[in-house]
Every structure is written in C-alpha cells, then in structure tokens.
Short mmCIF file of all heavy atoms in Angstrom, two decimals:
data_model
loop_
_atom_site.label_atom_id
_atom_site.label_comp_id
_atom_site.label_asym_id
_atom_site.label_seq_id
_atom_site.Cartn_x
_atom_site.Cartn_y
_atom_site.Cartn_z
N ALA J 1 -0.75 9.98 0.90
CA ALA J 1 -1.27 9.04 1.89
C ALA J 1 -2.71 8.76 1.51
O ALA J 1 -3.51 9.66 1.44
CB ALA J 1 -1.21 9.62 3.31
N PRO J 2 -3.00 7.42 1.32
CA PRO J 2 -4.33 7.09 0.86
C PRO J 2 -5.38 6.91 1.94
O PRO J 2 -6.51 6.55 1.59
CB PRO J 2 -4.08 5.76 0.11
CG PRO J 2 -2.96 5.11 0.94
CD PRO J 2 -2.06 6.29 1.31
N GLY J 3 -5.00 7.12 3.16
CA GLY J 3 -5.95 6.81 4.20
C GLY J 3 -5.94 5.24 4.39
O GLY J 3 -4.92 4.59 4.00
N VAL J 4 -7.15 4.72 4.74
CA VAL J 4 -7.25 3.33 4.93
C VAL J 4 -8.29 2.82 3.91
O VAL J 4 -9.53 2.93 4.10
CB VAL J 4 -7.63 2.84 6.33
CG1 VAL J 4 -7.60 1.34 6.40
CG2 VAL J 4 -6.70 3.49 7.32
N VAL J 5 -7.78 2.33 2.77
CA VAL J 5 -8.67 1.76 1.68
C VAL J 5 -8.88 0.31 2.04
O VAL J 5 -7.96 -0.44 2.44
CB VAL J 5 -8.07 1.94 0.35
CG1 VAL J 5 -8.86 1.30 -0.70
CG2 VAL J 5 -7.85 3.49 0.01
N ARG J 6 -10.02 -0.18 1.83
CA ARG J 6 -10.40 -1.64 2.04
C ARG J 6 -9.81 -2.44 0.91
O ARG J 6 -10.21 -2.52 -0.16
CB ARG J 6 -11.87 -1.81 1.99
CG ARG J 6 -12.27 -3.16 2.64
CD ARG J 6 -13.83 -3.17 2.87
NE ARG J 6 -14.16 -4.23 3.77
CZ ARG J 6 -15.28 -4.28 4.43
NH1 ARG J 6 -16.13 -3.30 4.39
NH2 ARG J 6 -15.60 -5.32 5.29
N THR J 7 -8.61 -3.16 1.23
CA THR J 7 -7.94 -4.04 0.39
C THR J 7 -7.67 -5.35 1.10
O THR J 7 -7.86 -5.54 2.31
CB THR J 7 -6.65 -3.43 -0.08
OG1 THR J 7 -5.75 -3.35 1.12
CG2 THR J 7 -6.83 -2.02 -0.63
N ASP J 8 -7.14 -6.29 0.33
CA ASP J 8 -6.75 -7.60 0.98
C ASP J 8 -5.76 -7.36 2.02
O ASP J 8 -5.81 -8.00 3.11
CB ASP J 8 -6.11 -8.48 -0.10
CG ASP J 8 -7.15 -8.95 -1.13
OD1 ASP J 8 -8.41 -8.93 -0.83
OD2 ASP J 8 -6.77 -9.50 -2.22
N MET J 9 -4.79 -6.40 1.87
CA MET J 9 -3.78 -6.22 2.87
C MET J 9 -4.42 -5.61 4.12
O MET J 9 -4.12 -6.02 5.24
CB MET J 9 -2.72 -5.24 2.30
CG MET J 9 -1.42 -5.04 3.27
SD MET J 9 -0.19 -4.00 2.67
CE MET J 9 -0.86 -2.40 2.93
N THR J 10 -5.15 -4.50 4.03
CA THR J 10 -5.73 -3.91 5.15
C THR J 10 -6.70 -4.73 5.94
O THR J 10 -6.70 -4.70 7.15
CB THR J 10 -6.38 -2.53 4.82
OG1 THR J 10 -7.38 -2.78 3.81
CG2 THR J 10 -5.33 -1.50 4.36
N GLU J 11 -7.46 -5.57 5.14
CA GLU J 11 -8.38 -6.45 5.87
C GLU J 11 -7.67 -7.60 6.65
O GLU J 11 -8.29 -8.16 7.57
CB GLU J 11 -9.38 -7.02 4.82
CG GLU J 11 -10.38 -6.06 4.34
CD GLU J 11 -11.50 -6.76 3.54
OE1 GLU J 11 -11.15 -7.59 2.71
OE2 GLU J 11 -12.76 -6.45 3.82
N SER J 12 -6.52 -7.82 6.27
CA SER J 12 -5.72 -8.90 6.96
C SER J 12 -5.02 -8.40 8.17
O SER J 12 -4.42 -9.20 9.01
CB SER J 12 -4.63 -9.54 6.00
OG SER J 12 -3.59 -8.60 5.79
N MET J 13 -5.04 -7.06 8.42
CA MET J 13 -4.27 -6.49 9.55
C MET J 13 -5.25 -6.39 10.77
O MET J 13 -6.29 -5.82 10.74
CB MET J 13 -3.82 -5.08 9.13
CG MET J 13 -2.84 -5.08 7.98
SD MET J 13 -2.47 -3.38 7.26
CE MET J 13 -1.66 -2.60 8.79
N PRO J 14 -4.73 -6.97 11.89
CA PRO J 14 -5.59 -6.90 13.07
C PRO J 14 -5.97 -5.54 13.50
O PRO J 14 -7.09 -5.31 14.03
CB PRO J 14 -4.64 -7.53 14.16
CG PRO J 14 -3.78 -8.44 13.37
CD PRO J 14 -3.54 -7.80 12.07
N VAL J 15 -5.14 -4.54 13.26
CA VAL J 15 -5.42 -3.16 13.70
C VAL J 15 -6.68 -2.58 12.96
O VAL J 15 -7.40 -1.71 13.53
CB VAL J 15 -4.26 -2.16 13.45
CG1 VAL J 15 -3.99 -1.95 11.96
CG2 VAL J 15 -4.47 -0.88 14.18
N HIS J 16 -7.04 -3.16 11.83
CA HIS J 16 -8.21 -2.72 11.16
C HIS J 16 -9.44 -3.70 11.18
O HIS J 16 -10.39 -3.47 10.49
CB HIS J 16 -7.85 -2.49 9.59
CG HIS J 16 -6.80 -1.48 9.39
ND1 HIS J 16 -6.88 -0.23 9.93
CD2 HIS J 16 -5.66 -1.53 8.63
CE1 HIS J 16 -5.82 0.49 9.59
NE2 HIS J 16 -5.08 -0.31 8.80
N ARG J 17 -9.31 -4.62 12.04
CA ARG J 17 -10.35 -5.70 12.14
C ARG J 17 -11.70 -5.27 12.37
O ARG J 17 -12.76 -5.73 11.79
CB ARG J 17 -9.93 -6.82 13.16
CG ARG J 17 -10.62 -8.11 12.96
CD ARG J 17 -9.83 -9.24 13.55
NE ARG J 17 -8.63 -9.55 12.75
CZ ARG J 17 -7.56 -10.22 13.19
NH1 ARG J 17 -7.53 -10.56 14.48
NH2 ARG J 17 -6.61 -10.55 12.44
N GLN J 18 -11.83 -4.18 13.20
CA GLN J 18 -13.14 -3.68 13.56
C GLN J 18 -13.53 -2.37 12.83
O GLN J 18 -14.47 -1.70 13.19
CB GLN J 18 -13.19 -3.43 15.11
CG GLN J 18 -12.88 -4.60 15.98
CD GLN J 18 -13.84 -5.80 15.69
OE1 GLN J 18 -15.02 -5.62 15.50
NE2 GLN J 18 -13.24 -7.00 15.63
N ARG J 19 -12.68 -2.01 11.90
CA ARG J 19 -12.89 -0.75 11.15
C ARG J 19 -14.10 -0.75 10.36
O ARG J 19 -14.49 -1.76 9.61
CB ARG J 19 -11.67 -0.43 10.29
CG ARG J 19 -11.82 0.84 9.49
CD ARG J 19 -10.58 1.13 8.68
NE ARG J 19 -9.40 1.48 9.56
CZ ARG J 19 -9.16 2.72 9.96
NH1 ARG J 19 -10.09 3.74 9.74
NH2 ARG J 19 -8.20 2.99 10.78
N THR J 20 -14.81 0.35 10.42
CA THR J 20 -16.04 0.52 9.55
C THR J 20 -15.92 1.72 8.63
O THR J 20 -16.63 1.86 7.68
CB THR J 20 -17.32 0.68 10.45
OG1 THR J 20 -17.15 1.82 11.29
CG2 THR J 20 -17.59 -0.52 11.28
N ASP J 21 -14.97 2.67 8.94
CA ASP J 21 -14.81 3.89 8.14
C ASP J 21 -13.57 3.63 7.19
O ASP J 21 -12.49 3.67 7.61
CB ASP J 21 -14.63 5.07 8.97
CG ASP J 21 -13.50 4.93 9.97
OD1 ASP J 21 -13.30 3.87 10.52
OD2 ASP J 21 -12.79 5.96 10.21
N TRP J 22 -13.83 3.43 6.00
CA TRP J 22 -12.74 3.21 4.94
C TRP J 22 -12.72 4.40 3.96
O TRP J 22 -13.77 4.98 3.64
CB TRP J 22 -13.08 1.92 4.16
CG TRP J 22 -13.16 0.69 4.98
CD1 TRP J 22 -14.23 0.15 5.61
CD2 TRP J 22 -12.07 -0.17 5.37
NE1 TRP J 22 -14.05 -0.97 6.29
CE2 TRP J 22 -12.68 -1.23 6.16
CE3 TRP J 22 -10.72 -0.22 5.15
CZ2 TRP J 22 -11.94 -2.24 6.67
CZ3 TRP J 22 -9.98 -1.19 5.62
CH2 TRP J 22 -10.54 -2.26 6.42
N THR J 23 -11.49 4.70 3.42
CA THR J 23 -11.31 5.68 2.46
C THR J 23 -11.86 5.11 1.12
O THR J 23 -11.51 3.97 0.69
CB THR J 23 -9.88 6.09 2.24
OG1 THR J 23 -9.32 6.50 3.55
CG2 THR J 23 -9.74 7.19 1.33
N ASP J 24 -12.71 5.93 0.51
CA ASP J 24 -13.11 5.56 -0.90
C ASP J 24 -12.01 5.60 -1.85
O ASP J 24 -11.34 6.64 -1.98
CB ASP J 24 -14.28 6.56 -1.33
CG ASP J 24 -14.88 6.10 -2.61
OD1 ASP J 24 -14.37 5.39 -3.38
OD2 ASP J 24 -15.95 6.77 -2.90
N PRO J 25 -11.73 4.54 -2.56
CA PRO J 25 -10.61 4.48 -3.51
C PRO J 25 -10.77 5.56 -4.55
O PRO J 25 -9.72 6.02 -5.07
CB PRO J 25 -10.53 3.13 -4.06
CG PRO J 25 -11.94 2.52 -3.75
CD PRO J 25 -12.34 3.20 -2.49
N ALA J 26 -11.95 5.95 -4.94
CA ALA J 26 -12.20 7.02 -5.87
C ALA J 26 -11.48 8.27 -5.38
O ALA J 26 -11.04 9.11 -6.28
CB ALA J 26 -13.63 7.22 -6.14
N GLN J 27 -11.47 8.60 -4.13
CA GLN J 27 -10.82 9.78 -3.60
C GLN J 27 -9.32 9.65 -3.77
O GLN J 27 -8.64 10.70 -4.02
CB GLN J 27 -11.19 9.96 -2.06
CG GLN J 27 -12.63 10.18 -1.83
CD GLN J 27 -12.89 10.16 -0.29
OE1 GLN J 27 -12.65 9.25 0.40
NE2 GLN J 27 -13.51 11.34 0.14
N VAL J 28 -8.72 8.55 -3.68
CA VAL J 28 -7.24 8.32 -3.84
C VAL J 28 -7.00 8.64 -5.34
O VAL J 28 -6.03 9.27 -5.69
CB VAL J 28 -6.79 6.94 -3.50
CG1 VAL J 28 -5.34 6.75 -3.67
CG2 VAL J 28 -7.22 6.57 -2.09
N VAL J 29 -7.72 8.06 -6.24
CA VAL J 29 -7.53 8.21 -7.67
C VAL J 29 -7.70 9.73 -8.08
O VAL J 29 -6.86 10.27 -8.81
CB VAL J 29 -8.53 7.34 -8.52
CG1 VAL J 29 -8.48 7.67 -10.01
CG2 VAL J 29 -8.31 5.88 -8.28
N GLU J 30 -8.76 10.37 -7.59
CA GLU J 30 -8.89 11.73 -7.84
C GLU J 30 -7.75 12.63 -7.45
O GLU J 30 -7.26 13.49 -8.16
CB GLU J 30 -10.19 12.26 -7.11
CG GLU J 30 -10.46 13.81 -7.28
CD GLU J 30 -11.58 14.36 -6.38
OE1 GLU J 30 -11.65 13.86 -5.24
OE2 GLU J 30 -12.34 15.25 -6.91
N LEU J 31 -7.12 12.35 -6.19
CA LEU J 31 -6.03 13.13 -5.84
C LEU J 31 -4.78 12.81 -6.54
O LEU J 31 -4.01 13.69 -6.88
CB LEU J 31 -5.85 12.83 -4.30
CG LEU J 31 -5.25 13.96 -3.42
CD1 LEU J 31 -6.00 15.17 -3.62
CD2 LEU J 31 -5.29 13.47 -1.94
N ALA J 32 -4.59 11.51 -6.88
CA ALA J 32 -3.46 11.16 -7.68
C ALA J 32 -3.48 11.79 -9.05
O ALA J 32 -2.44 12.29 -9.63
CB ALA J 32 -3.41 9.63 -7.94
N LEU J 33 -4.64 11.84 -9.66
CA LEU J 33 -4.78 12.53 -10.95
C LEU J 33 -4.52 14.06 -10.95
O LEU J 33 -3.89 14.58 -11.84
CB LEU J 33 -6.15 12.23 -11.60
CG LEU J 33 -6.39 10.84 -12.06
CD1 LEU J 33 -7.86 10.61 -12.41
CD2 LEU J 33 -5.51 10.43 -13.23
N ALA J 34 -4.91 14.62 -9.86
CA ALA J 34 -4.63 15.99 -9.71
C ALA J 34 -3.15 16.31 -9.49
O ALA J 34 -2.59 17.32 -9.96
CB ALA J 34 -5.45 16.65 -8.49
#
C-alpha cells in the first residue's frame, strides 16, 4: 500500500482535494526494493 502519493490520479480525486500530507514516493520505492 503506497499511502497517498501525489499523482495525476490522486489530485483528480475529490476526496484528496484538500490534502496536504502526501506520501513521499521515495518511501514507496525504498519499500518496493526491500
């Protein structure tokens, strides 16, 4: 589960319109590599 990474898809979703806390994509990559 990547959390909520700021992407075209998530930015287009009303549920995330006011979001300010985004998952750093580097954290997703680090976990995937592990």
Side-chain angles (χ1 to χ4, degrees):
V4 185
V5 175
R6 195 168 196 160
T7 66
D8 292 342
M9 185 179 82
T10 54
E11 287 192 315
S12 72
M13 297 169 64
V15 70
H16 298 309
R17 197 157 286 158
Q18 304 303 318
R19 179 177 290 276
T20 58
D21 57 322
W22 301 90
T23 305
D24 185 344
Q27 295 175 303
V28 183
V29 173
E30 178 187 36
L31 213 48
L33 289 171

